[in-house]
Amino acid sequence: MPDADADADAEAAPVTDAEPRYDPWGARPLQAVDHGRAGSRGVRLSQGIVLGVGIALLAGGIGGYAGVLAERQAATRLELPQTPRTDRGRAPDSVAGIAAAALPGVVTLHVSGADSSSTGTGFVLDGQGHILTNHHVVNGARTITVTFSTGESVPAELVGGDTGYDLAVVKVDGVRGLRPLALGNSENVEVGDPVVAIGAPFDLSNTVTAGIISATGRPITAGGDKGDGSDVSYVDALQTDAPINPGNSGGPLLDAKAQVIGINSAIRGGDGKDSSGQQRGSIGLGFAIPVNQGKRVAEELIRTGRATHPVIGVTLDMDYSGDGARVGEKGENGTSAVTVGGPGARAGIRPGDVITKVDGVRVHGGDELVIKIRAHRPGDRLALTVLREGRERTLEVVLGSANGS
């Protein structure tokens, strides 16, 4: 029979490890503490925790690397929308079409002289290798090198030049596939016509600019650096706002049919020179020699090496400050200002006459009269309006010829 006292002791003994009873109405939730087991179980639990952390780190590293790869691949595959490549052809009368047609016939000239070197432009006239440019581009040249739009460079020889017209012809030999430019007619040009200029401004070859004809028959003079008038050129110019800069000289001014209507010759640039000593660039006032004059002079230079000048056989009073061109009282060495037997004398011009118009177009000074005369050929007939003793009269003169410089 069991001992009653023992049972009483068992009932009275506190149960320290027994689970407390959960009271849902208690002040706070029941928290039971797991004290674990002594011995190897605690070691295995620590190892499990370390292993779990390691696996988590490894998984994170793999995931991060995979994310970087995915991002790189996504960046590599990125494509923005773009218009597909199409036919690059342009309308023949567009600036791009004109440039494409003309560029193979335009050349850059590099000229070396005794004291300096310079760059200019020219264009092919024929299949024999003749190239037209400005006289001031090649004046005083010892060597001339011509570079085509393809990059091919060859030496050139001067055929002939003329200061008064500021035109010259050079020639290259042994060049195959020359592309002469078509010559237009400058008498067909009207103010407002679109034009394209091609040249090598500041030695930047194959430069294309565009604009319009701003004026026709604009009398200008260029040169005059020598001071004695021997290097002055007289041009009845086409004026354009197509940007023309130093280095464009001698290049073609083209119409909408890619035909040459002028030879770019001069600009009215900003006053003075820049800090490097170079002439300032275009301000929208460019001037070109009409191609009709250029054609005639080029033909003469190719045939004979010289050009002829139309003359009226009078000496002008270049100091006259009134309106018009006044015939002097005396010529050189005290001779008559009207050449005996010359075109002016046959037309009835007298010393002291003031010429006010040429073919009805007013002239305001001696330079303008020379320019208007030079715009014609020897043998042409002109109507000169003359003011004599307060009365105007019209005289017809047939232009004579003189050799140029």
Side-chain angles (χ1 to χ4, degrees):
M1 181 174 185
D3 189 340
D5 293 336
D7 290 339
D9 291 339
E11 291 178 1
V15 182
T16 57
D17 292 334
E19 294 292 338
R21 186 173 180 178
Y22 174 60
D23 181 1
W25 308 108
R28 55 188 173 201
L30 175 66
Q31 295 183 2
V33 178
D34 184 1
H35 297 288
R37 291 185 179 181
S40 61
R41 180 181 177 185
V43 174
R44 288 196 297 271
L45 179 60
S46 299
Q47 292 174 343
I49 292 172
V50 171
L51 179 62
V53 171
I55 293 173
L57 291 175
L58 179 61
I62 293 173
Y65 180 69
V68 170
L69 288 179
E71 181 179 358
R72 289 180 178 176
Q73 291 176 354
T76 303
R77 291 194 301 270
L78 175 63
E79 291 187 9
L80 297 174
Q82 184 181 27
T83 301
R85 182 174 179 175
T86 58
D87 181 12
R88 290 168 50 179
R90 297 292 186 271
D93 59 349
S94 68
V95 174
I98 295 167
L103 274 169
V106 180
V107 302
T108 301
L109 286 81
H110 292 98
V111 179
S112 296
D115 302 318
S116 62
S117 60
S118 61
T119 301
T121 308
F123 59 92
V124 179
L125 289 172
D126 55 30
Q128 287 70 51
H130 292 108
I131 292 168
L132 185 62
T133 187
N134 282 143
H135 180 267
H136 74 260
V137 169
V138 297
N139 189 28
R142 288 188 174 180
T143 62
I144 304 171
T145 301
V146 168
T147 302
F148 292 83
S149 61
T150 59
E152 180 184 7
S153 294
V154 295
E157 296 291 334
L158 179 64
V159 175
D162 186 273
T163 300
Y165 291 116
D166 194 21
L167 291 170
V169 172
V170 301
K171 187 175 186 295
V172 296
D173 292 315
V175 179
R176 304 175 64 179
L178 291 171
R179 297 277 297 275
L181 296 189
L183 303 184
N185 192 321
S186 47
E187 292 185 1
N188 296 334
V189 175
E190 296 289 345
V191 173
D193 283 348
V195 290
V196 171
I198 302 180
F202 301 105
D203 205 12
L204 299 173
S205 60
N206 305 324
T207 295
V208 177
T209 57
I212 62 168
I213 293 293
S214 304
T216 60
R218 184 74 79 191
I220 66 166
T221 58
D225 296 332
K226 293 183 178 180
D228 59 1
S230 63
D231 63 336
V232 176
S233 59
Y234 300 87
V235 182
D236 201 29
L238 300 174
Q239 181 183 326
T240 179
D241 68 349
I244 296 173
N245 290 285
N248 274 104
S249 293
L253 188 67
L254 304 152
D255 64 10
K257 296 180 180 179
Q259 297 175 337
V260 181
I261 57 171
I263 301 94
N264 300 319
S265 180
I267 65 171
R268 175 65 184 271
D271 293 337
K273 298 183 178 181
D274 61 20
S275 58
S276 64
Q278 289 185 315
Q279 181 183 350
R280 296 187 187 277
S282 170
I283 58 173
L285 294 173
F287 304 97
I289 301 166
V291 72
N292 289 19
Q293 188 175 79
K295 175 179 179 295
R296 178 182 73 81
V297 174
E299 290 168 347
E300 291 187 346
L301 292 175
I302 292 171
R303 285 197 305 264
T304 67
R306 300 178 68 87
T308 57
H309 294 174
V311 295
I312 59 174
V314 302
T315 300
L316 298 177
D317 179 5
M318 302 305 286
D319 295 326
Y320 178 67
S321 59
D323 195 43
R326 184 177 184 274
V327 180
E329 296 293 339
K330 295 290 183 180
E332 294 182 2
N333 303 320
T335 59
S336 174
V338 180
T339 304
V340 177
R346 292 194 296 269
I349 297 176
R350 299 178 184 177
D353 284 350
V354 177
I355 301 172
T356 59
K357 296 179 184 178
V358 177
D359 281 344
V361 178
R362 182 168 291 279
V363 294
H364 301 284
D367 286 345
E368 285 194 31
L369 177 62
V370 174
I371 290 167
K372 294 301 182 184
I373 297 297
R374 291 276 181 90
H376 294 81
R377 295 172 176 266
D380 286 352
R381 294 178 178 271
L382 300 180
L384 302 183
T385 301
V386 174
L387 181 63
R388 181 188 301 163
E389 297 176 351
R391 296 180 57 189
E392 279 192 341
R393 63 195 69 200
T394 300
L395 306 175
E396 184 178 82
V397 61
V398 178
L399 297 178
S401 177
N403 287 328
S405 58

